[in-house]
């Protein structure tokens, strides 16, 4: 089964429909891919995806595990808007080597390479995506990004996944409050890992829970931490964990 599903949104109201829903400014589609998320009204994560302009339509590249739920949610918001949501018949190709014609840079980080959408089978060039994500603390759908996630705690500002000047969208009020009126007390951080532990293992410091360890690669990992407690030596199962510089 493919890891991604590529949807096509078309119709006269497509741009305004998306602009009022997603975390990023779709004006960026004129320059390339836009990385964005759809949130609950309470500001929690529902789905993250890439958007791409295709003639008069917009392609939406989302993880297969979230696709059905996202289509239903978009349909709920669509009401009488002139927007059609359908399968595109395209598949994702991605890599970090030389980019083929038509490929666009991944907007999250230059080291994440390129993405392209064609009728060819889904493929990548064998890059070690976990290693790249861990080096730059880039969360993955269904691993670090879950229904309990807030996008600012998940690093979306550094990943070019949220725009604070675009105006209203679903969950915008909570996100803006977290940005401007509070200091984040929890969030994803890169950590050192001596040993290994299953994804989702709880991290302890001084016998108290301080977070969760997720993706690991090359003696490092991505962890969700309570920042005021995540100090000194920490443990996740049999692995020793420390904050990375």
């Amino acid at each position: 089964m493919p890891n991604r599903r590529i949807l096509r949104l078309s119709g006269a109201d497509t741009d305004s429909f998306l602009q009022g829903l997603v975390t990023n400014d779709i004006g960026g589609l004129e320059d390339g891919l836009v990385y964005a998320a759809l949130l609950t009204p309470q500001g929690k994560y529902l789905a993250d995806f890439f958007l791409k302009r295709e003639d008069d339509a917009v392609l939406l590249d989302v993880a297969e595990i979230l696709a059905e739920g996202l289509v239903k949610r978009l349909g709920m918001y669509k009401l009488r808007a002139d927007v059609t949501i359908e399968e595109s018949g395209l598949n994702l190709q991605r890599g970090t080597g030389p980019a083929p014609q038509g490929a666009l840079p991944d907007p999250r980080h230059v080291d994440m390479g390129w993405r392209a959408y064609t009728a060819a089978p889904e493929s990548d060039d064998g890059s070690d995506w976990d290693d790249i994500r861990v080096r730059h603390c880039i969360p993955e759908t269904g691993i670090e990004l879950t229904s309990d996630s807030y996008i600012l705690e998940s690093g979306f500002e550094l990943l070019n996944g949220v725009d604070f000047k675009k105006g209203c969208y679903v969950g915008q009020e909570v996100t803006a409050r977290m940005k401007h009126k509070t200091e984040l007390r929890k969030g994803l951080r890169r950590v050192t890992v001596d040993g290994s532990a299953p994804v989702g293992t709880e991290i302890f410091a001084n016998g108290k829970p301080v977070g969760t360890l997720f993706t690991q690669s090359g003696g490092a990992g991505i962890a969700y931490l309570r920042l005021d407690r995540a100090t000194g030596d920490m443990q996740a199962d049999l692995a020793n964990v420390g904050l990375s510089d």
Side-chain angles (χ1 to χ4, degrees), residues 11-14 16-17 74-84:
D13 296 331
T14 297
S16 58
F17 172 69
L74 293 175
M76 181 184 74
Y77 284 122
K78 187 166 75 72
L79 299 176
R80 297 182 180 179
D82 181 7
V83 179
T84 299

Side-chain angles (χ1 to χ4, degrees), residues 125-189:
D125 65 356
S127 296
D128 189 339
W129 301 106
D130 280 352
D131 180 69
I132 297 170
R133 290 197 307 103
V134 167
R135 281 192 278 118
H136 302 294
C137 202
I138 298 173
E140 178 62 51
T141 306
I143 302 178
E144 291 86 12
L145 292 172
T146 73
S147 59
D148 290 324
S149 299
Y150 289 99
I151 61 168
L152 295 191
E153 293 181 346
S154 301
F156 266 58
E157 189 170 4
L158 292 175
L159 300 174
N160 303 307
V162 58
D163 188 292
F164 293 103
K165 299 178 180 178
K166 60 163 284 185
C168 293
Y169 56 87
V170 178
Q172 181 266 342
E173 184 176 351
V174 174
T175 305
R177 189 183 312 126
M178 292 180 73
K179 166 68 174 175
H180 298 294
K181 296 185 177 181
T182 63
E183 181 178 353
L184 294 180
R185 298 180 180 179
K186 301 177 182 179
L188 294 179
R189 293 293 186 274

Side-chain angles (χ1 to χ4, degrees), residues 61-83:
D61 163 9
V62 65
E64 178 64 38
I65 59 172
L66 299 181
E68 291 297 332
L70 179 61
V71 169
K72 290 179 181 178
R73 182 64 65 126
L74 293 175
M76 181 184 74
Y77 284 122
K78 187 166 75 72
L79 299 176
R80 297 182 180 179
D82 181 7
V83 179

Side-chain angles (χ1 to χ4, degrees), residues 111-128:
D111 285 357
M112 290 296 288
W114 50 265
R115 302 174 83 87
Y117 306 97
T118 75
E122 183 174 293
S123 65
D124 67 50
D125 65 356
S127 296
D128 189 339

